[in-house]
């Protein structure tokens, strides 16, 4: 099955003598059921699902210039950024079997994020997705076909796993799951069956700790190899996704909250119990979590939290509760933020 899918992503297209310029905006995403643990080549140990973050995005302009000796130049937020080039180069090398035409172009890349640099908001998902979309636009231009969003997700995944989910929205699942028709470990697919309440769901990102994390996601994924709870965790993620899919259809917010918070805490529990163990939460992370739970109990407002692999807290709530939740953030939670 996968072999056939992989063949479908291959092409015989080659570079032409015309240059091509394209600009793409790709959103970041926050997982509700977490991907944690992977195997080569960048395939998930369990399926995941995420909200697409429409206001946290990367914009990337790529100028493909025909060349016999291809080079990459990159500007980040208007300034030359040679330190980003090796990551882009290794991505291009990784996808060369699927995009052979790239060997005939030099790339001038200009990229920027809608969120502050080094804020702890991961830019690899939106960054890799924007670049993959630009490459798929070049491919569409060469073939005369439409941009292949499945291939864009497939390529983005090879740059950064969670980038597979940064192609469409508002909900994207990635990884084979028995309850998702057409699901695959190779690329993400949009989930269109959600209750309308989830189409305009809100996410406020509280920056508890800015800057580079002490342990990268790559190291964290690898620590799931030989982790004593790995098998239970992968089974739990599959079950939580099955439950969450039902909840996303019905709009039951109590169950939504229960699953989403459990997933966030289970992700961090894997970090606490790996060898070596590590902690990415900060005291402020816990204070915010406690305060959100107390507020929910006192008011009945369906606000909850999730976490990615860091100290920052994503506060999730329905659009209709925006005013009261923004007050909570401004008056109480912001005290724990950098
Ligand atoms: O895509 P990566 O390798 O940065 O891993 C992302 C892992 C989490 O953000 C913690 C979970 C997820 O599913 O996005």
């Amino acid at each position: 099955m996968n072999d056939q899918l992989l063949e479908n992503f291959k092409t015989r297209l080659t570079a032409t003598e015309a240059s091509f310029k394209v600009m793409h905006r790709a959103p970041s995403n926050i997982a509700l059921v977490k991907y944690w643990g992977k195997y080569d080549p960048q395939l998930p140990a369990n399926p995941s699902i995420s909200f697409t973050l429409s206001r946290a995005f990367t914009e990337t302009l790529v100028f493909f210039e025909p060349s016999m000796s291809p080079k990459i130049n990159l500007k980040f937020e208007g300034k030359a950024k040679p330190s980003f080039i090796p990551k882009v180069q290794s991505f291009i090398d990784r996808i060369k079997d699927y995009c052979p035409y790239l060997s005939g172009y030099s790339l001038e890349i200009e990229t920027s994020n809608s969120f502050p640099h080094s804020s702890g908001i991961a830019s690899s998902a939106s960054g890799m997705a924007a670049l993959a979309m630009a490459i798929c636009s070049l491919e569409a231009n060469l073939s005369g076909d439409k941009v292949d969003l499945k291939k864009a997700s497939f390529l983005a995944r090879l740059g950064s796993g969670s980038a597979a989910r940064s192609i469409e929205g508002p909900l994207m699942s990635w990884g084979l799951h028995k309850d998702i028709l057409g699901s695959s470990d190779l690329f993400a697919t949009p989930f269109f069956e959600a209750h309308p309440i989830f189409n305009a769901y809100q996410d406020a990102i509280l920056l508890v700790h800015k800057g580079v994390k002490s342990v990268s996601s790559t190291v964290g994924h690898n620590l799931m190899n030989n982790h004593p709870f790995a098998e239970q965790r992968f089974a739990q993620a599959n079950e939580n996704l099955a439950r969450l899919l039902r909840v996303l259809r019905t709009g039951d917010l109590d169950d939504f909250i229960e699953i989403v918070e459990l997933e966030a805490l289970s992700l961090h529990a894997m970090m606490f119990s790996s060898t070596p163990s590590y902690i990415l939460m900060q005291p402020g992370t816990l204070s915010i979590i406690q305060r959100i739970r107390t507020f929910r109990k006192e008011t009945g407002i369906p606000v909850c939290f999730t976490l990615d692999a860091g100290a920052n807290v994503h506060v999730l709530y329905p659009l209709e509760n925006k005013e009261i939740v923004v007050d909570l953030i401004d008056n109480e939670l912001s005290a724990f933020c950098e």
Side-chain angles (χ1 to χ4, degrees), residues 62-286:
V62 187
F63 186 54
F64 296 93
E65 178 73 16
S67 167
M68 302 289 274
S69 47
K71 284 194 304 283
I72 299 174
N73 279 317
L74 191 146
K75 278 188 185 164
F76 177 65
E77 295 185 340
K79 290 201 193 101
K81 192 85 177 175
S83 62
F84 282 9
I85 294 177
K87 200 169 178 191
V88 176
Q89 186 63 59
S90 66
F91 173 59
I92 301 289
D93 293 344
R94 231 172 191 206
I95 63 172
K96 65 177 186 307
D97 287 351
Y98 304 97
C99 310
Y101 48 85
L102 282 178
S103 64
Y105 294 99
S106 281
L107 272 56
E108 295 280 339
I109 302 173
E110 287 179 28
T111 187
S112 59
N113 298 328
S114 67
F115 44 87
H117 185 49
S118 288
S119 60
I121 302 177
S123 58
S124 60
S126 52
M128 283 298 168
L131 188 54
M133 281 296 290
I135 292 167
C136 286
S137 297
L138 168 68
E139 183 168 320
N141 180 265
L142 294 173
S143 67
D145 291 335
K146 283 198 305 200
V147 174
D148 182 347
L149 296 179
K150 223 175 234 185
K151 180 159 179 177
S153 172
F154 169 80
L155 296 178
R157 186 203 100 234
L158 290 167
S160 166
S162 56
R165 299 186 311 242
S166 272
I167 301 293
E168 294 176 80
L171 280 152
M172 290 287 273
S173 80
W174 168 43
L176 192 62
H177 189 270
K178 64 178 179 41
D179 297 343
I180 306 177
L181 199 68
S183 59
S184 170
D185 286 348
L186 297 176
F187 49 82
T189 40
F191 180 74
F192 290 122
E193 295 155 45
H195 186 279
I197 197 162
F198 296 116
N199 290 336
Y201 226 71
Q202 304 292 296
D203 176 15
I205 310 175
L206 305 189
L207 302 180
V208 175
H209 179 66
K210 294 193 209 160
V212 181
K213 304 182 279 210
S214 57
V215 179
S216 72
S217 287
T218 308
V219 172
H221 284 293
N222 288 339
L223 287 173
M224 287 306 283
N225 300 328
N226 307 319
H227 192 292
F229 305 138
E231 286 316 310
Q232 293 94 321
R233 165 60 199 152
F234 303 147
Q236 180 204 34
N238 271 280
E239 276 163 37
N240 283 343
L241 182 52
R243 274 189 74 200
L244 188 67
L245 291 172
R246 289 196 291 275
V247 166
L248 288 172
R249 288 188 182 99
T250 60
D252 182 329
L253 293 186
D254 288 342
D255 284 357
F256 175 81
I257 288 168
E258 186 177 291
I259 300 164
V260 167
E261 293 193 346
L262 173 62
E263 272 293 312
L265 296 177
S266 296
L267 168 71
H268 283 257
M270 291 301 108
M271 302 173 195
F272 298 168
S273 52
S274 65
T275 307
S277 64
Y278 64 106
I279 302 172
L280 295 182
M281 287 184 182
Q282 295 283 334
T285 313
L286 276 179

Side-chain angles (χ1 to χ4, degrees), residues 315-333:
V315 184
L316 299 173
Y317 55 96
L319 180 61
E320 66 181 41
N321 300 117
K322 187 164 183 163
E323 209 172 316
I324 187 158
V325 177
V326 169
D327 277 351
L328 169 74
I329 293 170
D330 287 348
N331 298 335
E332 294 189 45
L333 307 184

Side-chain angles (χ1 to χ4, degrees), residues 29-38 42 48-50 122 124-125 159-165 174 213 217-218 221 267-268 271 307-310:
N29 70 76
I30 180 70
L32 303 172
V33 171
K34 310 290 182 182
Y35 144 64
W36 199 237
K38 63 176 172 180
Q42 199 93 292
S48 57
I49 194 163
S50 55
S124 60
S160 166
S162 56
R165 299 186 311 242
W174 168 43
K213 304 182 279 210
S217 287
T218 308
H221 284 293
L267 168 71
H268 283 257
M271 302 173 195
L307 308 165
D308 62 14

